[in-house]
Amino acid sequence: MIIAIDGPAASGKGTLAKRIAAHYGLGWLDTGLLYRAVARDVVVKGGRLEDLGAAIAAARAIDATTLCDPHLRGPRAGDDASMIAKIPEVRAALLDYQRTFAQQGKGAVLDGRDIGTVVCPDARVKIFVTASDEARARRRFLEHHGRGDTITYEELLADIRRRDARDSNRSVAPLAAAPDAILLDTTDLDADQAFVAAMKIIEKKVGK
Ligand code: CDP
C-alpha cells in the first residue's frame, strides 16, 4: 500500500506520515529531505544555489545515507531546498529513488509536495494536509526553539509564505492537491487529533 501525504511548508506532513507508517508497518520517506540534501551538497562544495549545473550534478550524485544529517532540519535549509526544487532536472534525478522506495515490501508512506500528483499518482490513499500560515509558523517556532535554533516567529512566517509561493508557482510539479486527494485541515488539531483524523480517512478508503 502506498500512501501519499502532501501539503505546504510545516503543515505537519512529516509527523503524520511517520506515525501512519509506524501504525501499518510501512516504510516512510520524507521527500523534502532529498531536496534539502541537494541544496546542502551544492553549498558544501562551494557552489551557489542559483547555479543550475551544480544543483543538477548534486541531485544526480545524491547519497540517501546522508539524509539523517540533523543540519537538514536547520532554520534556513527549507528555503535553500525550495530554490533548487524548482529545477526540472533536479526533480527528475530524484524520481527513481522515490518510486523505488515506494515499491518496497508492504509499501510506504511518502510525504512531500508532488507525491500524489507526480511521484506516486496511483497511491492507494492521498491526503493533502493544510493549516493556517500562523498555525504552521507557531509549530515550526516551537520545533526550532526546542532544538535551540535562534529564529523568530516572524521570520518563520515569512519563510513559510515565501516557500509556499515559490513551490506553488513553479512550472514543474508545483505544490498542489491531486484531484483525488482528501483535504485535512489541522489548524485546530494537535498531532494526536491529526493522526486520528488521518486514520479515519485511510480506513474509509481501504477498509479496516
Ligand atoms: O518540512 P517542510 O514542509 O518545511 O519542508 P520539506 O517538506 O522538508 O521541503 C523543503 C522544500 O523542498 C519545499 O519547500 C519544496 O520546495 C521542496 N520539496 C519539493 O519540491 N517536493 C517534495 N516532494 C518535497 C519537498
Side-chain angles (χ1 to χ4, degrees), residues 8-11 13 30-33 35-36 73 78 81-82 85 91 98 111-115 140 163 167 170:
S11 54
K13 309 172 296 291
D30 171 352
T31 64
L33 286 178
Y35 295 90
R36 288 168 182 258
R73 287 273 154 235
S82 85
R91 306 197 71 84
Q98 296 175 81
D111 72 87
R113 303 290 184 290
D114 60 340
I115 309 304
R140 226 355 99 84
R163 268 202 293 145
D167 292 346
R170 68 185 175 216

PDB file of all heavy atoms in Angstrom, residues 8-11 13 30-33 35-36 73 78 81-82 85 91 98 111-115 140 163 167 170, ligand 1:
ATOM      1  N   PRO A   8       1.589  22.078   2.188  1.00  0.00           N
ATOM      2  CA  PRO A   8       2.531  23.203   2.220  1.00  0.00           C
ATOM      3  C   PRO A   8       3.543  23.081   3.358  1.00  0.00           C
ATOM      4  O   PRO A   8       3.489  22.144   4.158  1.00  0.00           O
ATOM      5  CB  PRO A   8       1.605  24.408   2.424  1.00  0.00           C
ATOM      6  CG  PRO A   8       0.402  23.856   3.111  1.00  0.00           C
ATOM      7  CD  PRO A   8       0.235  22.455   2.591  1.00  0.00           C
ATOM      8  N   ALA A   9       4.445  24.050   3.410  1.00  0.00           N
ATOM      9  CA  ALA A   9       5.539  24.028   4.384  1.00  0.00           C
ATOM     10  C   ALA A   9       5.021  23.936   5.814  1.00  0.00           C
ATOM     11  O   ALA A   9       4.062  24.618   6.187  1.00  0.00           O
ATOM     12  CB  ALA A   9       6.383  25.301   4.221  1.00  0.00           C
ATOM     13  N   ALA A  10       5.662  23.091   6.584  1.00  0.00           N
ATOM     14  CA  ALA A  10       5.406  22.984   8.026  1.00  0.00           C
ATOM     15  C   ALA A  10       3.950  22.663   8.362  1.00  0.00           C
ATOM     16  O   ALA A  10       3.442  23.073   9.399  1.00  0.00           O
ATOM     17  CB  ALA A  10       5.847  24.278   8.732  1.00  0.00           C
ATOM     18  N   SER A  11       3.297  21.926   7.491  1.00  0.00           N
ATOM     19  CA  SER A  11       1.883  21.603   7.759  1.00  0.00           C
ATOM     20  C   SER A  11       1.734  20.381   8.656  1.00  0.00           C
ATOM     21  O   SER A  11       0.612  19.980   8.973  1.00  0.00           O
ATOM     22  CB  SER A  11       1.134  21.388   6.441  1.00  0.00           C
ATOM     23  OG  SER A  11       1.788  20.423   5.650  1.00  0.00           O
ATOM     24  N   LYS A  13       3.050  17.344   7.843  1.00  0.00           N
ATOM     25  CA  LYS A  13       3.042  16.139   6.991  1.00  0.00           C
ATOM     26  C   LYS A  13       3.971  15.065   7.523  1.00  0.00           C
ATOM     27  O   LYS A  13       3.639  13.896   7.539  1.00  0.00           O
ATOM     28  CB  LYS A  13       3.538  16.447   5.558  1.00  0.00           C
ATOM     29  CG  LYS A  13       2.904  17.586   4.871  1.00  0.00           C
ATOM     30  CD  LYS A  13       3.606  17.887   3.561  1.00  0.00           C
ATOM     31  CE  LYS A  13       5.044  18.332   3.695  1.00  0.00           C
ATOM     32  NZ  LYS A  13       5.270  19.641   4.290  1.00  0.00           N
ATOM     33  N   ASP A  30      10.529  10.977   3.972  1.00  0.00           N
ATOM     34  CA  ASP A  30      10.298  12.422   3.988  1.00  0.00           C
ATOM     35  C   ASP A  30      11.032  12.961   2.760  1.00  0.00           C
ATOM     36  O   ASP A  30      12.248  13.156   2.787  1.00  0.00           O
ATOM     37  CB  ASP A  30      10.877  12.970   5.293  1.00  0.00           C
ATOM     38  CG  ASP A  30      10.901  14.485   5.338  1.00  0.00           C
ATOM     39  OD1 ASP A  30      10.620  15.124   4.306  1.00  0.00           O
ATOM     40  OD2 ASP A  30      11.219  15.024   6.406  1.00  0.00           O
ATOM     41  N   THR A  31      10.296  13.165   1.654  1.00  0.00           N
ATOM     42  CA  THR A  31      10.977  13.512   0.394  1.00  0.00           C
ATOM     43  C   THR A  31      11.598  14.909   0.441  1.00  0.00           C
ATOM     44  O   THR A  31      12.497  15.205  -0.341  1.00  0.00           O
ATOM     45  CB  THR A  31      10.019  13.404  -0.812  1.00  0.00           C
ATOM     46  OG1 THR A  31       8.965  14.371  -0.664  1.00  0.00           O
ATOM     47  CG2 THR A  31       9.439  12.006  -0.927  1.00  0.00           C
ATOM     48  N   GLY A  32      11.133  15.755   1.362  1.00  0.00           N
ATOM     49  CA  GLY A  32      11.739  17.078   1.494  1.00  0.00           C
ATOM     50  C   GLY A  32      13.217  16.981   1.842  1.00  0.00           C
ATOM     51  O   GLY A  32      14.017  17.846   1.453  1.00  0.00           O
ATOM     52  N   LEU A  33      13.584  15.915   2.540  1.00  0.00           N
ATOM     53  CA  LEU A  33      14.998  15.751   2.913  1.00  0.00           C
ATOM     54  C   LEU A  33      15.884  15.599   1.684  1.00  0.00           C
ATOM     55  O   LEU A  33      17.053  16.000   1.702  1.00  0.00           O
ATOM     56  CB  LEU A  33      15.174  14.528   3.826  1.00  0.00           C
ATOM     57  CG  LEU A  33      14.688  14.671   5.264  1.00  0.00           C
ATOM     58  CD1 LEU A  33      14.895  13.355   6.012  1.00  0.00           C
ATOM     59  CD2 LEU A  33      15.436  15.803   5.980  1.00  0.00           C
ATOM     60  N   TYR A  35      15.514  17.123  -1.208  1.00  0.00           N
ATOM     61  CA  TYR A  35      15.762  18.465  -1.746  1.00  0.00           C
ATOM     62  C   TYR A  35      16.664  19.263  -0.798  1.00  0.00           C
ATOM     63  O   TYR A  35      17.540  20.018  -1.242  1.00  0.00           O
ATOM     64  CB  TYR A  35      14.427  19.178  -2.010  1.00  0.00           C
ATOM     65  CG  TYR A  35      13.642  18.467  -3.091  1.00  0.00           C
ATOM     66  CD1 TYR A  35      12.741  17.453  -2.777  1.00  0.00           C
ATOM     67  CD2 TYR A  35      13.868  18.754  -4.432  1.00  0.00           C
ATOM     68  CE1 TYR A  35      12.055  16.760  -3.762  1.00  0.00           C
ATOM     69  CE2 TYR A  35      13.187  18.071  -5.431  1.00  0.00           C
ATOM     70  CZ  TYR A  35      12.285  17.071  -5.083  1.00  0.00           C
ATOM     71  OH  TYR A  35      11.632  16.378  -6.073  1.00  0.00           O
ATOM     72  N   ARG A  36      16.439  19.080   0.491  1.00  0.00           N
ATOM     73  CA  ARG A  36      17.305  19.764   1.466  1.00  0.00           C
ATOM     74  C   ARG A  36      18.755  19.289   1.317  1.00  0.00           C
ATOM     75  O   ARG A  36      19.702  20.074   1.396  1.00  0.00           O
ATOM     76  CB  ARG A  36      16.799  19.492   2.894  1.00  0.00           C
ATOM     77  CG  ARG A  36      15.500  20.226   3.226  1.00  0.00           C
ATOM     78  CD  ARG A  36      14.864  19.739   4.514  1.00  0.00           C
ATOM     79  NE  ARG A  36      13.603  20.421   4.779  1.00  0.00           N
ATOM     80  CZ  ARG A  36      13.452  21.414   5.661  1.00  0.00           C
ATOM     81  NH1 ARG A  36      14.474  21.826   6.387  1.00  0.00           N
ATOM     82  NH2 ARG A  36      12.276  21.993   5.828  1.00  0.00           N
ATOM     83  N   ARG A  73      17.520  19.919   8.939  1.00  0.00           N
ATOM     84  CA  ARG A  73      16.321  20.484   9.579  1.00  0.00           C
ATOM     85  C   ARG A  73      16.584  21.884  10.105  1.00  0.00           C
ATOM     86  O   ARG A  73      15.751  22.455  10.811  1.00  0.00           O
ATOM     87  CB  ARG A  73      15.862  19.577  10.725  1.00  0.00           C
ATOM     88  CG  ARG A  73      15.241  18.313  10.255  1.00  0.00           C
ATOM     89  CD  ARG A  73      13.741  18.499  10.004  1.00  0.00           C
ATOM     90  NE  ARG A  73      13.237  17.572   9.030  1.00  0.00           N
ATOM     91  CZ  ARG A  73      12.573  17.900   7.931  1.00  0.00           C
ATOM     92  NH1 ARG A  73      12.330  19.147   7.633  1.00  0.00           N
ATOM     93  NH2 ARG A  73      12.136  16.999   7.108  1.00  0.00           N
ATOM     94  N   GLY A  78      15.154  24.786   4.533  1.00  0.00           N
ATOM     95  CA  GLY A  78      13.923  24.636   3.740  1.00  0.00           C
ATOM     96  C   GLY A  78      13.892  25.619   2.582  1.00  0.00           C
ATOM     97  O   GLY A  78      13.508  25.279   1.456  1.00  0.00           O
ATOM     98  N   ALA A  81      16.276  24.551  -0.031  1.00  0.00           N
ATOM     99  CA  ALA A  81      15.732  23.406  -0.771  1.00  0.00           C
ATOM    100  C   ALA A  81      14.745  23.868  -1.830  1.00  0.00           C
ATOM    101  O   ALA A  81      14.766  23.388  -2.970  1.00  0.00           O
ATOM    102  CB  ALA A  81      15.047  22.444   0.204  1.00  0.00           C
ATOM    103  N   SER A  82      13.905  24.818  -1.484  1.00  0.00           N
ATOM    104  CA  SER A  82      12.881  25.228  -2.457  1.00  0.00           C
ATOM    105  C   SER A  82      13.498  25.970  -3.648  1.00  0.00           C
ATOM    106  O   SER A  82      12.919  26.003  -4.724  1.00  0.00           O
ATOM    107  CB  SER A  82      11.766  26.024  -1.787  1.00  0.00           C
ATOM    108  OG  SER A  82      12.080  27.369  -1.686  1.00  0.00           O
ATOM    109  N   ALA A  85      14.542  23.077  -5.827  1.00  0.00           N
ATOM    110  CA  ALA A  85      13.424  22.171  -6.131  1.00  0.00           C
ATOM    111  C   ALA A  85      12.629  22.609  -7.354  1.00  0.00           C
ATOM    112  O   ALA A  85      11.835  21.851  -7.887  1.00  0.00           O
ATOM    113  CB  ALA A  85      12.492  22.068  -4.922  1.00  0.00           C
ATOM    114  N   ARG A  91      14.502  17.610 -10.077  1.00  0.00           N
ATOM    115  CA  ARG A  91      13.346  16.774  -9.718  1.00  0.00           C
ATOM    116  C   ARG A  91      13.417  15.424 -10.434  1.00  0.00           C
ATOM    117  O   ARG A  91      13.161  14.382  -9.839  1.00  0.00           O
ATOM    118  CB  ARG A  91      12.030  17.487 -10.051  1.00  0.00           C
ATOM    119  CG  ARG A  91      11.907  18.864  -9.432  1.00  0.00           C
ATOM    120  CD  ARG A  91      10.487  19.350  -9.417  1.00  0.00           C
ATOM    121  NE  ARG A  91       9.684  18.603  -8.457  1.00  0.00           N
ATOM    122  CZ  ARG A  91       9.618  18.868  -7.161  1.00  0.00           C
ATOM    123  NH1 ARG A  91      10.297  19.882  -6.647  1.00  0.00           N
ATOM    124  NH2 ARG A  91       8.888  18.120  -6.360  1.00  0.00           N
ATOM    125  N   GLN A  98      12.676   7.869  -5.247  1.00  0.00           N
ATOM    126  CA  GLN A  98      11.390   7.944  -4.532  1.00  0.00           C
ATOM    127  C   GLN A  98      10.456   6.811  -4.967  1.00  0.00           C
ATOM    128  O   GLN A  98       9.791   6.178  -4.140  1.00  0.00           O
ATOM    129  CB  GLN A  98      10.720   9.291  -4.801  1.00  0.00           C
ATOM    130  CG  GLN A  98      11.520  10.469  -4.261  1.00  0.00           C
ATOM    131  CD  GLN A  98      10.898  11.808  -4.647  1.00  0.00           C
ATOM    132  OE1 GLN A  98       9.947  12.272  -4.024  1.00  0.00           O
ATOM    133  NE2 GLN A  98      11.422  12.434  -5.690  1.00  0.00           N
ATOM    134  N   ASP A 111       5.952  11.613   2.117  1.00  0.00           N
ATOM    135  CA  ASP A 111       5.380  12.949   2.281  1.00  0.00           C
ATOM    136  C   ASP A 111       6.195  13.979   1.509  1.00  0.00           C
ATOM    137  O   ASP A 111       7.402  13.853   1.371  1.00  0.00           O
ATOM    138  CB  ASP A 111       5.221  13.313   3.770  1.00  0.00           C
ATOM    139  CG  ASP A 111       6.518  13.602   4.502  1.00  0.00           C
ATOM    140  OD1 ASP A 111       6.954  14.764   4.465  1.00  0.00           O
ATOM    141  OD2 ASP A 111       7.092  12.678   5.099  1.00  0.00           O
ATOM    142  N   GLY A 112       5.480  14.965   0.939  1.00  0.00           N
ATOM    143  CA  GLY A 112       6.157  15.980   0.141  1.00  0.00           C
ATOM    144  C   GLY A 112       5.185  16.983  -0.447  1.00  0.00           C
ATOM    145  O   GLY A 112       4.247  17.448   0.236  1.00  0.00           O
ATOM    146  N   ARG A 113       5.416  17.347  -1.710  1.00  0.00           N
ATOM    147  CA  ARG A 113       4.578  18.337  -2.391  1.00  0.00           C
ATOM    148  C   ARG A 113       3.876  17.737  -3.605  1.00  0.00           C
ATOM    149  O   ARG A 113       2.827  18.209  -4.002  1.00  0.00           O
ATOM    150  CB  ARG A 113       5.434  19.523  -2.893  1.00  0.00           C
ATOM    151  CG  ARG A 113       6.252  20.243  -1.833  1.00  0.00           C
ATOM    152  CD  ARG A 113       5.341  21.022  -0.917  1.00  0.00           C
ATOM    153  NE  ARG A 113       6.068  21.819   0.074  1.00  0.00           N
ATOM    154  CZ  ARG A 113       6.759  21.331   1.101  1.00  0.00           C
ATOM    155  NH1 ARG A 113       6.843  20.031   1.294  1.00  0.00           N
ATOM    156  NH2 ARG A 113       7.356  22.150   1.957  1.00  0.00           N
ATOM    157  N   ASP A 114       4.525  16.716  -4.202  1.00  0.00           N
ATOM    158  CA  ASP A 114       4.063  16.201  -5.502  1.00  0.00           C
ATOM    159  C   ASP A 114       3.925  14.680  -5.471  1.00  0.00           C
ATOM    160  O   ASP A 114       4.017  14.038  -6.509  1.00  0.00           O
ATOM    161  CB  ASP A 114       5.077  16.587  -6.586  1.00  0.00           C
ATOM    162  CG  ASP A 114       6.458  15.998  -6.306  1.00  0.00           C
ATOM    163  OD1 ASP A 114       6.742  15.634  -5.147  1.00  0.00           O
ATOM    164  OD2 ASP A 114       7.254  15.880  -7.264  1.00  0.00           O
ATOM    165  N   ILE A 115       3.725  14.111  -4.306  1.00  0.00           N
ATOM    166  CA  ILE A 115       3.676  12.640  -4.223  1.00  0.00           C
ATOM    167  C   ILE A 115       2.411  12.125  -4.914  1.00  0.00           C
ATOM    168  O   ILE A 115       2.473  11.226  -5.755  1.00  0.00           O
ATOM    169  CB  ILE A 115       3.744  12.150  -2.755  1.00  0.00           C
ATOM    170  CG1 ILE A 115       4.929  12.781  -2.025  1.00  0.00           C
ATOM    171  CG2 ILE A 115       3.816  10.616  -2.713  1.00  0.00           C
ATOM    172  CD1 ILE A 115       6.274  12.563  -2.669  1.00  0.00           C
ATOM    173  N   ARG A 140       6.388  25.475  13.842  1.00  0.00           N
ATOM    174  CA  ARG A 140       7.805  25.462  13.437  1.00  0.00           C
ATOM    175  C   ARG A 140       8.662  26.203  14.455  1.00  0.00           C
ATOM    176  O   ARG A 140       9.785  25.814  14.745  1.00  0.00           O
ATOM    177  CB  ARG A 140       7.904  26.124  12.071  1.00  0.00           C
ATOM    178  CG  ARG A 140       8.701  25.556  10.919  1.00  0.00           C
ATOM    179  CD  ARG A 140       9.526  24.392  11.066  1.00  0.00           C
ATOM    180  NE  ARG A 140       8.999  23.134  10.631  1.00  0.00           N
ATOM    181  CZ  ARG A 140       9.024  22.656   9.387  1.00  0.00           C
ATOM    182  NH1 ARG A 140       9.555  23.339   8.428  1.00  0.00           N
ATOM    183  NH2 ARG A 140       8.542  21.463   9.115  1.00  0.00           N
ATOM    184  N   ARG A 163       8.148  30.315   0.682  1.00  0.00           N
ATOM    185  CA  ARG A 163       8.327  28.972   0.116  1.00  0.00           C
ATOM    186  C   ARG A 163       7.053  28.455  -0.529  1.00  0.00           C
ATOM    187  O   ARG A 163       7.085  27.853  -1.592  1.00  0.00           O
ATOM    188  CB  ARG A 163       8.765  28.013   1.221  1.00  0.00           C
ATOM    189  CG  ARG A 163      10.246  27.935   1.307  1.00  0.00           C
ATOM    190  CD  ARG A 163      10.699  26.688   1.962  1.00  0.00           C
ATOM    191  NE  ARG A 163      10.358  26.575   3.365  1.00  0.00           N
ATOM    192  CZ  ARG A 163      10.045  25.426   3.953  1.00  0.00           C
ATOM    193  NH1 ARG A 163       9.989  24.326   3.242  1.00  0.00           N
ATOM    194  NH2 ARG A 163       9.798  25.388   5.235  1.00  0.00           N
ATOM    195  N   ASP A 167       6.915  27.315  -4.250  1.00  0.00           N
ATOM    196  CA  ASP A 167       6.575  25.916  -4.541  1.00  0.00           C
ATOM    197  C   ASP A 167       5.284  25.811  -5.355  1.00  0.00           C
ATOM    198  O   ASP A 167       5.129  24.901  -6.177  1.00  0.00           O
ATOM    199  CB  ASP A 167       6.408  25.119  -3.237  1.00  0.00           C
ATOM    200  CG  ASP A 167       7.726  24.951  -2.479  1.00  0.00           C
ATOM    201  OD1 ASP A 167       8.787  25.212  -3.071  1.00  0.00           O
ATOM    202  OD2 ASP A 167       7.686  24.564  -1.299  1.00  0.00           O
ATOM    203  N   ARG A 170       5.958  27.236  -9.287  1.00  0.00           N
ATOM    204  CA  ARG A 170       6.986  26.712 -10.192  1.00  0.00           C
ATOM    205  C   ARG A 170       6.309  25.945 -11.329  1.00  0.00           C
ATOM    206  O   ARG A 170       5.186  25.443 -11.174  1.00  0.00           O
ATOM    207  CB  ARG A 170       7.995  25.846  -9.431  1.00  0.00           C
ATOM    208  CG  ARG A 170       7.408  24.566  -8.909  1.00  0.00           C
ATOM    209  CD  ARG A 170       8.421  23.799  -8.041  1.00  0.00           C
ATOM    210  NE  ARG A 170       7.800  22.642  -7.456  1.00  0.00           N
ATOM    211  CZ  ARG A 170       8.056  22.171  -6.236  1.00  0.00           C
ATOM    212  NH1 ARG A 170       8.938  22.771  -5.459  1.00  0.00           N
ATOM    213  NH2 ARG A 170       7.433  21.102  -5.808  1.00  0.00           N
TER     214      ARG A 170
HETATM  215  O1  CDP B   1       9.131  20.301   6.343  1.00  0.00           O
HETATM  216  P1  CDP B   1       8.721  21.410   5.405  1.00  0.00           P
HETATM  217  O2  CDP B   1       7.289  21.290   4.982  1.00  0.00           O
HETATM  218  O3  CDP B   1       9.081  22.762   5.887  1.00  0.00           O
HETATM  219  O4  CDP B   1       9.625  21.251   4.104  1.00  0.00           O
HETATM  220  P2  CDP B   1      10.106  19.941   3.344  1.00  0.00           P
HETATM  221  O5  CDP B   1       8.953  19.012   3.127  1.00  0.00           O
HETATM  222  O6  CDP B   1      11.312  19.395   4.007  1.00  0.00           O
HETATM  223  O7  CDP B   1      10.503  20.529   1.905  1.00  0.00           O
HETATM  224  C1  CDP B   1      11.509  21.521   1.747  1.00  0.00           C
HETATM  225  C2  CDP B   1      11.354  22.073   0.340  1.00  0.00           C
HETATM  226  O8  CDP B   1      11.650  21.007  -0.582  1.00  0.00           O
HETATM  227  C3  CDP B   1       9.966  22.533  -0.038  1.00  0.00           C
HETATM  228  O9  CDP B   1       9.722  23.901   0.271  1.00  0.00           O
HETATM  229  C4  CDP B   1       9.910  22.281  -1.533  1.00  0.00           C
HETATM  230  O10 CDP B   1      10.441  23.332  -2.268  1.00  0.00           O
HETATM  231  C5  CDP B   1      10.822  21.080  -1.718  1.00  0.00           C
HETATM  232  N1  CDP B   1      10.077  19.829  -1.901  1.00  0.00           N
HETATM  233  C6  CDP B   1       9.554  19.561  -3.147  1.00  0.00           C
HETATM  234  O11 CDP B   1       9.657  20.392  -4.048  1.00  0.00           O
HETATM  235  N2  CDP B   1       8.946  18.381  -3.405  1.00  0.00           N
HETATM  236  C7  CDP B   1       8.808  17.464  -2.443  1.00  0.00           C
HETATM  237  N3  CDP B   1       8.206  16.314  -2.735  1.00  0.00           N
HETATM  238  C8  CDP B   1       9.296  17.721  -1.147  1.00  0.00           C
HETATM  239  C9  CDP B   1       9.922  18.938  -0.899  1.00  0.00           C
END
